[in-house]
Amino acid sequence: MSSKAYIVPVNPQNLSSNTVAGVDTAKLWSTTPSAQKPAKVGTSHVFYGVSGQDLSALVSLGEGFSEKKGDEKRELVRRAVGAGIKKVKAIDGVSEALVDASSDSHAAAVAAHLALYDFTLKTSPPSAYDPRSTQATPEKLAVKSLNGSADWNSGVIVAKAQNLARTLMELPGNMMTPTAFTERVKAEFANVPNVEVIVRDEAWAAKKGMNTFLSVTKGTDEPAKFLEIHYKGAPSKDAQPLAFVGKGITFDSGGISLKGSADMKLMRGDMGGAAAVVSTVLAIAQLKLPINIVAVTPLCENLPGPSANKPGDIIYAMNGKSVEVDNTDAEGRLVLADALYYASTEFKPHTVIDVATLTSAMEVALGEIYTGVFSTSDSLWEQLHVAGEYEYDRFWRMPLDEDYGPQIYSSNADLCNTGGKPGGSCTAALFLKAFVDGIESKDGKEPAVRWAHVDIAGTMEYTRPNPYQEKGMTGRPVRALVEFAKRLASNQS
């Protein structure tokens, strides 16, 4: 049997007589069972021994493909190619998939490489994700394009970056500690030009006055880390950067306010914001986008040790505000508070975007489909929205309103780290807002900083597979953030 498989998306309502790699797609598709309606997107048929090729997978692009445009059309390509990859990767003996990417090379590349991903730490056969490995494990299925292009190559970079975020999130807490996270990031960026990776320790954070961040790590003996990544791709190295801040709780037990045991192992992914941020910057640097980026991720564990935060404790944050810890399981906003203030004051960015698995309330509100966004800037929201729709990594704007304020302002401190169940994701966002410097308008002028808080608590995991991603950690919103940065860089150049 040949080790090659050809994956060919087919428009079932426009079966042109084109031949792809020696395969007459119209003739082959005409042999499939007919139905009253065109085959749904992703419907796959596998043929063996056609035109000298042992395996060809024809995949439907769905009804009305010719009439679809833009974002909607790209998503149909993703679903078709992803379904085709899933089909052939399950067939023994196939080691290479050749994709007809003529419909949309970037979308096809993204789908193909996301669909390839299968995380496991089983030892037989050897896992590519085994952290003990010193050599790369050969790919079970290599994917190439029949229509090689720059768009295909960019899609591969973005998809592999998202897959890196998925891996960082999937690895269990004993393997993905703050130290292990920083070592992995340094290795990933080792040969990428125009990048500097800096790892700070607890002593540095203490000198900076990052008391809310350090308070969260008191319950564990695992050292906390504060990771900085600087990418300077803009024509002027001194140009104002775009800043990313990612929540990096490598395991979250809830601390003294202990979570229930059911599904607690999911909290290995509570550093999903940090994973998404570093993976986004990796893709941006590999794509050599003409933009300056700074990314910071506070990394620690949240465990119920003898020195852990206690409900009722009051801490003074880096910006001087007092914070009451009502619930130690609302630790994400504590580590982000100092990180946001540091990023917005130290580097003077024009835009700050934080990404965090912050609130279960967001999962209740939007489920696994949309990622919630809170923003002080209409223009920033619109740019994020457009980028998310382009990559089908979609966002939904949530209210950032001071009317929620009394829920977190009515304590013995300036701020309380929880405001009760009502509007839980909204009060969390409002809490973070207090630590971003430069977002207030002064003297009638536009604010110096645009800020968006991206809550990925609902979209961190797929409990059901989609055509190009299996169940598990998602790595969202890497694709949307890369597309956002690409458009921002284009507008600035």
Side-chain angles (χ1 to χ4, degrees):
M1 172 178 186
S2 170
S3 62
K4 292 183 179 179
Y6 291 83
I7 297 174
V8 184
V10 173
N11 181 352
Q13 293 174 293
N14 184 17
L15 294 172
S16 59
S17 59
N18 64 311
T19 299
V20 178
V23 178
D24 188 331
T25 56
K27 183 177 179 181
L28 278 186
W29 192 263
S30 67
T31 67
T32 63
S34 59
Q36 290 183 338
K37 289 186 176 182
K40 291 182 179 179
V41 62
T43 300
S44 305
H45 297 285
V46 177
F47 300 86
Y48 296 86
V50 178
S51 300
Q53 308 299 340
D54 281 352
L55 195 156
S56 299
L58 271 56
V59 193
S60 174
L61 287 163
E63 184 176 5
F65 178 76
S66 298
E67 288 74 47
K68 299 293 192 294
K69 299 183 185 303
D71 299 337
E72 193 175 7
K73 195 167 191 175
R74 273 187 293 276
E75 178 60 8
L76 293 178
V77 173
R78 289 187 203 98
R79 294 183 179 217
V81 172
I85 290 289
K86 285 186 177 183
K87 192 81 169 180
V88 302
K89 78 177 183 181
I91 300 174
D92 290 337
V94 177
S95 61
E96 186 176 24
L98 301 171
V99 180
D100 173 16
S102 57
S103 297
D104 190 305
S105 289
H106 179 87
V110 164
H113 287 84
L114 292 180
L116 275 179
Y117 185 88
D118 280 310
F119 181 86
T120 179
L121 289 177
K122 293 182 184 296
T123 56
S124 182
S127 168
Y129 308 101
D130 188 337
R132 303 171 302 171
S133 299
T134 56
Q135 295 181 338
T137 303
E139 293 180 327
K140 181 180 177 182
L141 182 66
V143 176
K144 298 178 182 178
S145 171
L146 290 169
N147 327 84
S149 70
D151 285 343
W152 172 272
N153 295 337
S154 72
V156 173
I157 287 172
V158 174
K160 286 187 174 181
Q162 184 172 342
N163 285 343
L164 170 62
R166 295 163 83 181
T167 299
L168 294 172
M169 295 172 73
E170 288 285 8
L171 284 166
N174 64 318
M175 295 181 181
M176 192 45 61
T177 62
T179 299
F181 187 99
T182 58
E183 291 301 314
R184 176 64 180 266
V185 169
K186 286 192 291 186
E188 293 290 340
F189 280 92
N191 298 311
V192 182
N194 299 317
V195 172
E196 182 182 15
V197 178
I198 304 170
V199 180
R200 313 285 194 182
D201 60 15
E202 292 182 12
W204 174 88
K207 287 181 180 179
K208 286 290 185 181
M210 293 184 173
N211 300 318
T212 54
F213 165 43
L214 292 175
S215 76
V216 175
T217 197
K218 291 190 301 179
T220 178
D221 58 4
E222 191 68 49
K225 302 291 182 182
F226 193 92
L227 176 67
E228 286 182 30
I229 305 173
H230 298 263
Y231 166 66
K232 294 192 175 181
S236 170
K237 302 304 180 185
D238 296 326
Q240 269 189 294
L242 161 65
F244 290 121
V245 179
K247 173 188 170 185
I249 305 297
T250 57
F251 188 80
D252 180 20
S253 71
I256 296 295
S257 307
L258 194 67
K259 294 177 181 290
S261 59
D263 297 325
M264 193 194 284
K265 69 177 184 178
L266 186 64
M267 291 299 99
R268 69 191 184 279
D270 206 25
M271 29 60 69
V277 160
V278 301
S279 300
T280 295
V281 179
L282 179 62
I284 289 169
Q286 290 173 333
L287 291 169
K288 300 179 180 179
L289 298 185
I291 189 172
N292 289 347
I293 305 279
V294 59
V296 300
T297 61
L299 297 154
C300 67
E301 295 179 337
N302 183 27
L303 296 181
S307 300
N309 276 341
K310 303 172 293 296
D313 285 358
I314 293 179
I315 305 158
Y316 291 93
M318 185 181 177
N319 71 346
K321 290 184 182 292
S322 58
V323 175
E324 181 176 351
V325 180
D326 180 62
N327 186 328
T328 66
D329 194 24
E331 85 299 328
R333 64 206 72 182
L334 298 179
V335 302
L336 286 173
D338 286 336
L340 282 166
Y341 184 71
Y342 173 72
S344 59
T345 56
E346 185 77 11
F347 306 112
K348 303 300 180 184
H350 54 73
T351 302
V352 177
I353 299 174
D354 75 77
V355 185
T357 51
L358 206 65
T359 63
S360 57
M362 183 56 67
E363 182 179 9
V364 172
L366 298 179
E368 302 175 5
I369 310 304
Y370 286 90
T371 296
V373 172
F374 301 80
S375 184
T376 57
S377 166
D378 291 341
S379 64
L380 176 56
W381 156 249
E382 184 58 31
Q383 290 169 355
L384 285 169
H385 172 67
V386 169
E389 293 295 317
Y390 183 91
E391 284 288 351
Y392 208 74
D393 190 357
R394 296 175 295 170
F395 298 117
W396 193 268
R397 193 173 190 180
M398 302 290 290
L400 183 66
D401 197 298
E402 282 294 332
D403 283 350
Y404 289 102
Q407 293 176 236
I408 57 172
Y409 301 153
S410 303
S411 74
N412 289 326
D414 297 324
L415 294 158
C416 187
N417 80 328
T418 58
K421 288 185 178 181
S425 59
C426 302
T427 54
L430 201 59
F431 179 96
L432 296 180
K433 181 184 175 186
F435 298 92
V436 187
D437 189 68
I439 58 175
E440 300 297 335
S441 177
K442 294 180 180 180
D443 301 324
K445 296 180 180 179
E446 286 293 314
V449 175
R450 305 186 305 168
W451 169 64
H453 160 57
V454 180
D455 191 337
I456 61 170
T459 53
M460 69 177 284
E461 181 197 29
Y462 283 144
T463 58
R464 298 173 298 278
N466 71 26
Y468 49 91
Q469 284 196 235
E470 303 290 358
K471 293 192 296 184
M473 299 297 181
T474 66
R476 292 177 64 184
V478 167
R479 297 203 320 276
L481 293 179
V482 174
E483 181 63 23
F484 164 79
K486 185 186 301 183
R487 290 167 182 259
L488 194 63
S490 176
N491 291 335
Q492 290 178 350
S493 61

